[in-house]
Amino acid sequence: VELFGDRLAAAVGRKGSLVVGLDPVLERMPLELTGTPAERVTRFCCEIVDAVAPHAVAVKPQSAFFEALGWEGVRAFEEVCAHARAGGLIVIADAKRGDIGSTAEAYAQAFFPLADALTVNPYLGGDSLAPFLERCRTGSGLFCLVKTSNPGSGDVQDRVWEHVADLVREWGEEFVGASGLSSVGAVVGATFPREVGAARTRMPHTPLLLPGIGAQGGEAADVAVAFAGGPGSALVSASRSIIYAEGDDWRSAAAAAAAELAGATRAAAGIA
Amino acid sequence: VELFGDRLAAAVGRKGSLVVGLDPVLERMPLELTGTPAERVTRFCCEIVDAVAPHAVAVKPQSAFFEALGWEGVRAFEEVCAHARAGGLIVIADAKRGDIGSTAEAYAQAFFPLADALTVNPYLGGDSLAPFLERCRTGSGLFCLVKTSNPGSGDVQDRVWEHVADLVREWGEEFVGASGLSSVGAVVGATFPREVGAARTRMPHTPLLLPGIGAQGGEAADVAVAFAGGPGSALVSASRSIIYAEGDDWRSAAAAAAAELAGATRAAAGIA
């Protein structure tokens, strides 16, 4: 079985490093979409997936926005993941799960039939991630929170994130494939460029998922250092600035915003 | 509106400090239950709720085990929460969510119509908990992970949990009600009695939710120190040792195991 890191490296080689976050909020979705809230979310996300597919290597559906609609929203999440995978995109489920023992195993069961990779929270320690790491043997990937993009991320993380980065490197060592990339990635906010550089140094084989571009104020050029491990070593993620881009037609506006950020990302990665 | 801490204190005064965790695993459920996996889980959990209701102040459904069954499992989660609340039990959704900004708000929307309180992960910092804290104004409660019960909890937490405990105390200060208890609680593993004592001292008004009793090896007597803030200041939580208790009839076996642990908890709280 192909390791996730190798599959990611190959996909980035073909399509670049852009990840489009799917954060469906009813109030911001096009008025032309009708039906139940979950039906509108499904249709919106699937059409956004189709529009950005030429420009993005992966989509990152944010579980919370689907869960907010109850079980029908979770069904929509399943449908959107299936649609994106059928379209050849890597699916990174952004759920930030973290729990212990048999509970972590249950979360792995919940997400790994649906997604190629999952975001996880490291606060509970190494044994809490064991069931997810086990899935890396069969081709799945992880992105472990290290330094998040929000202003308050310093409250707890600034005392411990470098240590967490060292743990992430260790957890990922046995899953470094032929591409030189591990299947165990890290989330580092693009809003903290200095920390992005330090994270790159501490975790040389770790794919860095960099949210915070666009609506949160980060720019692709700020995180050029993240690509020091090669073009596949960093993923630039934007959500609202793409999926709610303004224009005459929402699909083509999203496609144009994705194309623009993909170009900026190629430039940052030094492959313009 | 009554603050969660006050509601909790009153309920504990009537019913004691036992919380029964609902961790439904198909392989361990009674063979007599038939139907789809989600139907079996719903029926199992609702009957367990009825069986333990005389002995427990709250139930703590673990979201992961429901999510593992896909959207039908999430529908079961909603049904089980509604059944427990209709039966007069406090519902603590054990989902350990943690995310930023509008995403955290979406999680609050997902869980607060269903549950009275939610477990949350503090790794992302104070601003990530703001939408949940806002809900405390209208009667909801939180239990923030501080020191978890698993063997690997030291990996990250032992460098930062005392600082997190101080933050939890600060976040909860404005929600300390007439009972002297805050609506913002903390999760501290009963498997670490020394840390339970230290947590009690650092967070004098914080309800402590103590998992790890029973199958994980903790005992109620180990955590007597947690009750130093009064009988309502600690909740003893057990899951598998109650819901899968052995006996001729699984309902009465669960009721008996709940009654026994409730008694041990009263003794530990000094109200035997």
Side-chain angles (χ1 to χ4, degrees), chain A residues 6-38:
Chain A
D6 290 342
R7 191 151 60 95
L8 179 66
V12 167
R14 291 191 303 273
K15 299 191 70 184
S17 303
L18 178 65
V19 176
V20 174
L22 303 175
D23 293 12
V25 176
L26 292 173
E27 295 69 39
R28 300 192 67 175
M29 282 165 30
L31 294 173
E32 71 186 65
L33 299 173
T34 54
T36 66

Side-chain angles (χ1 to χ4, degrees), chain B residues 1 3 18 23 28 41 43 58 92 131 138 191 202:
Chain B
V1 65
L3 289 174
L18 178 65
D23 294 13
R28 299 192 68 176
V41 160
R43 195 171 143 215
I92 303 170
T138 48
T191 47
R202 284 189 109 88

Side-chain angles (χ1 to χ4, degrees), chain B residues 40-248:
Chain B
R40 291 163 60 198
V41 160
T42 303
R43 195 171 143 215
F44 175 68
C45 290
C46 289
E47 295 214 29
I48 289 285
V49 165
D50 295 341
V52 304
H55 313 290
V57 68
V59 290
K60 182 174 74 63
Q62 169 51 259
S63 187
F65 293 106
F66 297 85
E67 292 179 57
L69 302 179
W71 63 266
E72 291 172 292
V74 174
R75 189 169 60 183
F77 183 85
E78 297 173 6
E79 290 166 355
V80 170
C81 289
H83 182 78
R85 294 184 83 178
L89 289 164
I90 288 174
V91 173
I92 303 170
D94 194 358
K96 299 187 176 65
R97 296 301 196 257
D99 213 305
I100 69 178
S102 59
T103 309
E105 172 60 31
Y107 278 131
Q109 286 173 22
F111 285 98
F112 282 131
L114 302 174
D116 299 287
L118 177 68
T119 58
V120 294
N121 186 312
Y123 188 69
L124 289 90
D127 58 355
S128 76
L129 300 184
F132 302 114
L133 292 168
E134 198 54 43
R135 296 302 202 286
C136 292
R137 292 185 206 290
T138 48
S140 296
L142 288 185
F143 289 92
C144 187
L145 300 184
V146 171
K147 169 69 180 170
T148 55
S149 60
N150 55 314
S153 69
D155 288 348
V156 176
Q157 295 163 25
D158 282 0
R159 295 173 181 242
V160 78
W161 79 262
E162 291 172 304
H163 171 64
V164 171
D166 292 343
L167 290 173
V168 168
R169 188 193 64 229
E170 283 171 33
W171 295 331
E173 264 164 12
E174 69 174 302
F175 303 109
V176 176
S179 64
L181 281 188
S182 174
S183 299
V184 181
V187 177
V188 183
T191 47
F192 296 105
R194 196 172 55 83
E195 284 78 0
V196 170
R200 176 74 293 156
T201 306
R202 284 189 109 88
M203 298 180 284
H205 299 288
T206 303
L208 300 184
L209 175 64
L210 307 164
I213 301 281
Q216 289 185 60
E219 294 190 20
D222 295 341
V223 294
V225 64
F227 293 94
S233 66
L235 297 169
V236 164
S237 175
S239 304
R240 289 168 278 172
S241 60
I242 293 177
I243 69 175
Y244 302 121
E246 291 194 19
D248 288 340

Side-chain angles (χ1 to χ4, degrees), chain A residues 15-20 48 51-57 220 236 238 241-243 245 251-267:
Chain A
K15 299 191 70 184
S17 303
L18 178 65
V19 176
V20 174
I48 289 284
V52 303
H55 312 291
V57 68
V236 164
S241 60
I242 292 177
I243 70 174
R251 300 169 195 81
S252 23
E260 186 181 341
L261 183 53
T265 301
R266 275 192 301 276

Side-chain angles (χ1 to χ4, degrees), chain A residues 41-140:
Chain A
V41 161
T42 302
R43 194 171 144 213
F44 174 68
C45 289
C46 288
E47 296 213 29
I48 289 284
V49 165
D50 295 343
V52 303
H55 312 291
V57 68
V59 290
K60 182 173 73 64
Q62 169 50 259
S63 187
F65 293 106
F66 296 85
E67 291 179 57
L69 302 178
W71 64 265
E72 291 173 292
V74 174
R75 190 169 59 182
F77 183 86
E78 296 173 7
E79 290 167 355
V80 170
C81 288
H83 183 79
R85 294 184 82 178
L89 290 164
I90 288 173
V91 173
I92 303 170
D94 196 356
K96 300 186 177 66
R97 295 300 196 260
D99 212 304
I100 69 176
S102 60
T103 309
E105 171 60 31
Y107 278 131
Q109 286 173 24
F111 284 99
F112 282 132
L114 301 174
D116 299 288
L118 176 68
T119 57
V120 294
N121 185 312
Y123 188 68
L124 288 89
D127 58 354
S128 77
L129 300 183
F132 302 115
L133 292 168
E134 199 54 43
R135 296 301 203 285
C136 292
R137 294 186 203 290
T138 48
S140 296

